[in-house]
Amino acid sequence: MRNHARMLAILLSILLSSLGALLVVPPPGSAAVPDQLTRQHLLTLGDYESVYPTLRQPSRVVLRSPLFAPRGCEDQGQVVRGSTRILGGLSTGARRRSVVLIDQNLVRFDTRAQARSVVGRYRHFSKACVGDVRTDDGEGGRVLLKNRAWQPPRVGDQSAGMLIGWFSFGSATWRRVLAVRVGRTVSVLDVSFADVRPPQGPVLDLGGLALDRLG
């Protein structure tokens, strides 16, 4: 009788262990909980200075900000939050014909398809939305946007780009945007120069460093 009770106890223990394993392991095809993106995944000040050694008075901030990705050819971006996100922003002392601002948005999605779709929106913008657009700065000031095509070479699993000139009150700022995907994660670099177009090479170098940070 005691042997019989002991055998039942062993079988019950095995059953409970198996049930626990089923509860921990997600069923096939289900999305796992995404790893949280942290400041360790962002480009560092040293990364920026390795590509732009003449940075002047750089100041860096880290925020939990959403990405504003293109929505068709509209001049206002659409909010993209993903499953986890983080932003690293770098501003510099004002100087003509050089870097004035760099933003890096990292967004991780539940699926690769969602990440591919976001990068595809940048590619569509650079193909279908080339031209000049007259708009405003949100405070009544007139702005001329010059949208120019930029199809960067492939970086990571997928990449796309935009080149936009912002002309307002006699000044010009050019933005070169590089969206790079690795798996379910998208890195969007937005590099702004005063008066001139940001050269392609350093932006692509930053895109490669961004992938290294993501591992």
Side-chain angles (χ1 to χ4, degrees), residues 33-204:
V33 177
D35 297 330
Q36 188 79 359
L37 290 169
T38 69
R39 63 173 58 238
Q40 279 70 39
H41 294 105
L42 291 168
L43 291 169
T44 66
L45 181 57
D47 291 330
Y48 290 123
E49 289 177 331
S50 70
V51 175
Y52 297 108
T54 59
L55 285 179
R56 181 181 177 185
Q57 299 173 335
S59 176
R60 186 168 175 263
V61 297
V62 176
L63 305 168
R64 287 286 173 187
S65 176
L67 169 68
F68 291 87
R71 176 169 49 189
C73 291
E74 296 181 18
D75 62 337
Q76 300 293 327
Q78 183 180 23
V79 174
V80 177
R81 299 184 185 277
S83 302
T84 174
R85 65 188 185 277
I86 194 167
L87 161 71
L90 179 76
S91 59
T92 69
R95 187 169 57 177
R96 298 187 63 183
R97 306 176 67 83
S98 64
V99 179
V100 293
L101 183 69
I102 304 176
D103 282 338
Q104 184 195 15
N105 281 90
L106 291 178
V107 185
R108 183 164 290 159
F109 298 88
D110 289 326
T111 66
R112 283 181 170 84
Q114 292 172 338
R116 282 195 298 267
S117 175
V118 170
V119 178
R121 285 156 60 175
Y122 288 90
R123 181 173 292 131
H124 174 269
F125 187 94
S126 199
K127 285 183 177 180
C129 308
V130 174
D132 294 349
V133 177
R134 297 190 181 278
T135 181
D136 65 81
D137 59 6
E139 299 179 354
R142 295 181 179 180
V143 174
L144 173 63
L145 297 180
K146 292 179 176 281
N147 300 329
R148 300 295 181 257
W150 183 44
Q151 301 295 338
R154 179 172 172 177
V155 181
D157 295 334
Q158 180 188 16
S159 58
M162 300 192 309
L163 179 61
I164 302 174
W166 174 288
F167 295 78
S168 177
F169 298 107
S171 65
T173 301
W174 282 94
R175 299 167 49 208
R176 192 177 293 276
V177 181
L178 175 65
V180 174
R181 180 182 67 84
V182 54
R184 296 181 292 117
T185 305
V186 175
S187 168
V188 179
L189 283 163
D190 192 334
V191 181
S192 296
F193 264 56
D195 300 321
V196 297
R197 301 181 181 189
Q200 300 182 43
V203 179
L204 294 171

